[in-house]
Amino acid sequence: MSQNPDKPHSSEEKSSGLEDGQESLDNPDQSIRKRIRQSAPGSYRDDTPKSSPPRPVSVEELMETAKGVTNMALAHEIVVNGDFQIKPAELPEHSLEKKVRDIVHKAFWDCLEAQLKEDPPTYDHAIKLLGEIKETLLSFLLPGHTRLRNQITEVLDLDLIKQEAENGALDISKLVEFVIGMMGTLCAPARDEEIKKLKDIHEIVPLFRAIFSVLDLMKMDMANFAVSSIRPKLMQQSAEYERKKFQEFLEKQPNSLDLVMNWLQEAADDLEKLRSNRLPPHGSGDGAAGEASALCPTAVQNQAYLKLLKWDHMNRPFPETVLMDQSRFQEIQLELEQLLLTGTVLLVVFSAAGSALVDIPGFAEKIKTIVKVLLTGMHLPAFNLKESLATIGEKVCAEVNSCLSQHGFTPFTAERETVLKGQIQAVANPDNTICKLIDSRIQKFLENYLASSHQKSLPAIPGGLGPIQRELEEIAVKYVRLVNYNKMVFSPYYDAVLAKILTKEESQLAGKSKES
């Protein structure tokens, strides 16, 4: 997204202003992330060897560190989460904070109503509200909005309004009408309906309340516009900031790349095994020697990132450089596991149904919806996969027979239904052949996407994944965005670690060449 040079606040001011509202982030995947954090094991750092005992930390240092981590985490969230949004904080329904807030608000509005009902009316509270509205409207203006600024300043001149109130000449309804009109000029198109509703409110106190409610929405719109505007610039700044903080951490804990070293070493070993399996048993000629060249650093990194999608989060510490995104990688892992089962069931169903139903519009989506709904919550402890697959088998068979009958085909016999249900239930087996096939193709697609992530077009979807193409591509986009940002931040450290690993690999290759 392009940056707007005329936005009312600088990037730094917006970033700072977002800190207070970070607890109200609108995250569409909040529930699954919350579950991940609750189920994830505690800190693994206790198992990491320390180079020296921890030194005492002052309260000031602790607060400064906490502030730095907060700023870094917020900037990181904005960069890696393409759906990042800010929303007003919502207090729990029966919480003490909400009760106190409601009591205070009611007292204020009751006081305003009482003042306006006096004879003659008292406008102290109303004028204060108009002052707040004036400041809010001015905050929405861009530097070039001179005419609008002059209008607001002239009409909402508080000194003049006070004089009119003292002389009994204040027309509050006229001022409120001007405010609503100005809000309609400055609001986003999505708020037009709320502005229209304001015009239907004729009592002053309810109208003031509604105006402030819509102004709050407009503030959120402005903040989210600022977030989208600063994201491109923030990406580079955030990467540099995270790298700097990580370097400071490394200087205090020199052995803090041990997990990264193991992670990348395993990835290199995986690629070496794959290459060895493709080579002849004994090297012969120049062709074999050429194939036995050193591993590519980029390929090792990509293989390492793919390993994160199969990580044992409960029993194994996460590499230090991706620790901040552990919950995100785990979330993607859970999504892929559910998509794997969905894709496997769909392939089983289409194989059993034959070509009769494949091209019928809407049939694939119906089956996919059934499977996805019944697999919801599959990672919760109480979820019973076998029972869910049995239910899926019943509903899928009913849908298949219904669709066959509607289009003039012969429905499944009881025997064919039994076979299909058995094939669907067999998906629960970790060694299921079809499940393994779909998994390998999903991994291959993600591998190709990582390798070609600089290109605009997505790689081709492997055969059998057509029914889940849209979901897989959505996950792939999110996954690659996360990987590319992590590479941007930590590439100097990966390059240093891989240099050691690949130098050792080259030495071993040279030794094998001499032996042969």
Side-chain angles (χ1 to χ4, degrees):
M1 299 179 206
S2 61
Q3 298 183 52
N4 187 342
D6 295 328
K7 58 182 180 290
H9 300 288
S10 67
S11 301
E12 292 77 13
E13 289 172 328
K14 282 295 178 186
S15 300
S16 175
L18 296 178
E19 292 172 25
D20 295 334
Q22 76 179 82
E23 292 183 1
S24 58
L25 306 182
D26 178 28
N27 188 346
D29 301 315
Q30 186 173 8
S31 59
I32 190 170
R33 288 187 180 174
K34 183 177 181 182
R35 187 168 74 248
I36 289 171
R37 294 187 186 105
Q38 289 173 342
S39 62
S43 172
Y44 291 108
R45 291 295 160 219
D46 292 342
D47 299 328
T48 305
K50 304 291 193 300
S51 59
S52 60
R55 66 178 180 82
V57 180
S58 67
V59 174
E60 290 77 10
E61 286 179 302
L62 189 61
M63 293 299 290
E64 186 63 29
T65 301
K67 182 180 179 181
V69 171
T70 298
N71 292 342
M72 183 170 65
L74 180 58
H76 186 87
E77 179 71 23
I78 292 172
V79 168
V80 301
N81 183 0
D83 298 321
F84 178 93
Q85 276 197 331
I86 303 167
K87 291 187 73 175
E90 295 183 4
L91 298 175
E93 185 61 32
H94 301 293
S95 65
L96 177 62
E97 293 89 344
K98 187 176 187 304
K99 291 179 181 178
V100 171
R101 186 192 66 180
D102 291 346
I103 290 171
V104 172
H105 283 191
K106 185 177 185 303
F108 177 85
W109 295 115
D110 287 348
C111 182
L112 174 63
E113 188 168 16
Q115 283 191 349
L116 294 178
K117 285 182 178 179
E118 292 178 7
D119 189 17
T122 302
Y123 293 105
D124 292 349
H125 274 33
I127 293 174
K128 288 180 181 178
L129 292 179
L130 287 172
E132 292 183 26
I133 291 171
K134 175 183 178 180
E135 293 304 316
T136 302
L137 291 176
L138 290 173
S139 72
F140 294 148
L141 300 181
L142 297 174
H145 287 159
T146 306
R147 183 178 60 82
L148 293 178
R149 180 175 285 100
N150 291 338
Q151 275 186 288
I152 295 171
T153 304
E154 181 180 341
V155 176
L156 297 179
D157 184 339
L158 297 187
D159 291 333
L160 179 59
I161 291 172
K162 288 176 184 177
Q163 291 179 16
E164 291 177 344
E166 291 169 359
N167 296 318
L170 179 61
D171 187 349
I172 196 78
S173 299
K174 186 177 179 181
L175 292 176
V176 170
E177 183 180 346
F178 168 79
V179 167
I180 295 174
M182 189 58 66
M183 289 170 66
T185 301
L186 297 176
C187 74
R191 302 301 172 199
D192 287 344
E193 191 62 31
E194 280 88 350
I195 300 296
K196 185 179 178 181
K197 290 177 182 178
L198 292 177
K199 297 177 182 179
D200 297 330
I201 303 174
H202 302 293
E203 295 183 21
I204 293 297
V205 174
L207 182 54
F208 264 120
R209 298 188 69 164
I211 285 173
F212 274 93
S213 178
V214 176
L215 285 174
D216 284 341
L217 295 176
M218 291 173 64
K219 289 177 184 177
M220 292 302 102
D221 294 339
M222 179 62 74
N224 286 319
F225 169 75
V227 166
S228 64
S229 299
I230 67 174
R231 183 177 279 117
K233 182 178 180 182
L234 185 62
M235 179 174 288
Q236 184 61 42
Q237 291 181 341
S238 180
E240 293 172 359
Y241 182 66
E242 288 184 43
R243 194 182 306 121
K244 176 184 175 183
K245 289 298 178 184
F246 189 76
Q247 181 60 39
E248 291 174 1
F249 175 70
L250 275 183
E251 290 169 0
K252 295 177 182 178
Q253 299 287 348
N255 59 339
S256 293
L257 281 176
D258 290 352
L259 299 178
V260 170
M261 173 70 82
N262 294 337
W263 171 48
L264 294 176
Q265 181 66 64
E266 287 182 18
D269 293 343
D270 289 345
L271 292 181
E272 184 60 39
K273 288 178 183 177
L274 289 173
R275 185 171 63 176
S276 298
N277 292 336
R278 291 195 296 265
L279 290 175
H282 300 287
S284 58
D286 296 336
E291 287 191 68
S293 59
L295 296 174
C296 169
T298 302
V300 175
Q301 282 192 54
N302 289 347
Q303 176 64 20
Y305 285 113
L306 287 171
K307 290 178 72 66
L308 298 180
L309 299 178
K310 297 287 186 179
W311 204 266
D312 183 1
H313 294 270
M314 294 300 296
N315 300 307
R316 189 177 179 191
F318 218 55
E320 298 91 344
T321 51
V322 286
L323 196 57
M324 185 178 288
D325 288 316
Q326 180 171 9
S327 64
R328 293 182 177 87
F329 279 108
Q330 190 174 1
E331 174 194 339
I332 292 173
Q333 181 177 342
L334 298 184
E335 290 177 354
L336 285 173
E337 288 174 2
Q338 182 171 344
L339 192 62
L340 168 60
L341 292 184
T342 302
T344 304
V345 171
L346 288 170
L347 186 58
V348 167
V349 172
F350 291 138
S351 298
S355 59
L357 299 179
V358 172
D359 297 326
I360 293 178
F363 174 73
E365 285 301 318
K366 280 186 179 179
I367 300 298
K368 184 161 59 174
T369 300
I370 291 172
V371 176
K372 288 171 70 175
V373 168
L374 292 173
L375 288 179
T376 300
M378 63 172 284
H379 298 100
L380 296 175
F383 186 84
N384 190 316
L385 180 58
K386 290 185 178 180
E387 289 182 4
S388 294
L389 289 173
T391 306
I392 288 172
E394 294 287 344
K395 291 189 175 296
V396 165
C397 283
E399 187 64 40
V400 167
N401 280 333
S402 173
C403 195
L404 286 171
S405 299
Q406 288 176 11
H407 292 83
F409 298 104
T410 304
F412 276 11
T413 63
E415 183 179 354
R416 287 188 70 184
E417 280 191 26
T418 302
V419 171
L420 177 55
K421 291 175 184 177
Q423 289 177 327
I424 290 175
Q425 287 183 278
V427 172
N429 186 345
D431 296 323
N432 182 273
T433 305
I434 301 178
C435 202
K436 285 187 171 182
L437 175 65
I438 295 295
D439 187 32
S440 66
R441 290 181 178 179
I442 288 175
Q443 295 297 314
K444 188 62 180 177
F445 173 76
L446 293 173
E447 179 185 346
N448 291 339
Y449 195 8
L450 272 180
S452 61
S453 59
H454 60 284
Q455 300 176 3
K456 292 184 179 180
S457 59
L458 292 170
I461 289 286
L465 302 185
I468 58 171
Q469 176 175 348
R470 175 172 53 83
E471 292 84 356
L472 182 56
E473 288 180 348
E474 288 175 356
I475 293 174
V477 168
K478 182 166 56 175
Y479 169 65
V480 171
R481 181 193 296 125
L482 202 57
V483 168
N484 285 343
Y485 181 70
N486 186 266
K487 285 181 177 181
M488 184 187 297
V489 176
F490 296 105
S491 57
Y493 303 101
Y494 295 148
D495 291 343
V497 171
L498 284 172
K500 295 178 183 178
I501 292 174
L502 297 181
T503 298
K504 184 176 67 174
E505 295 284 343
E506 289 176 5
S507 299
Q508 292 175 349
L509 283 174
K512 289 179 181 178
S513 299
K514 289 180 180 179
E515 291 177 4
S516 60

